[in-house]
Amino acid sequence: MAPRSIDEITARADEFADMFEAYDPKPSDHDAPVPPVMAVKLAAWRRDTAERELADAVRAAREQRLSWREVGNAIGTSGEAARQRYGATA
């Protein structure tokens, strides 16, 4: 593949933007199956997002002086397990 110029890349991006803006979803699109690889990628992204949110919440809880036991109870584990998992970042 030959190197592309900035103008060619911009033109292609504009084509994609036009297609996106012109897209009119059909009712059947809402329940369309997600390809398996995309489903795995989406689930992994959701897990990563949830893990970051949980780590942030644990850090905030510890800043408010919640004990590791209280944190562990809130996430369904022991305080020691919570401390081992989140102690370095909290």
Side-chain angles (χ1 to χ4, degrees):
M1 177 181 268
R4 295 182 179 198
S5 70
I6 295 295
D7 290 336
E8 291 171 320
I9 294 169
T10 302
R12 189 69 175 139
D14 288 340
E15 287 175 35
F16 282 124
D18 290 343
M19 289 178 3
F20 178 77
E21 290 174 4
Y23 175 69
D24 187 21
K26 300 168 192 64
S28 62
D29 290 345
H30 179 72
D31 295 324
V34 176
V37 171
M38 184 55 69
V40 170
K41 289 178 179 183
L42 182 58
W45 176 81
R46 287 178 177 152
R47 181 196 60 206
D48 291 344
T49 299
E51 283 293 332
R52 278 193 304 274
E53 289 175 2
L54 181 54
D56 291 344
V58 168
R59 189 175 311 107
R62 292 292 295 154
E63 288 173 0
Q64 295 297 313
R65 306 267 191 234
L66 262 69
S67 69
W68 282 114
R69 183 176 40 165
E70 292 171 302
V71 171
N73 286 339
I75 61 176
T77 190
S78 69
E80 179 60 18
R83 185 190 64 75
Q84 288 176 359
R85 173 71 175 92
Y86 299 101
T89 59

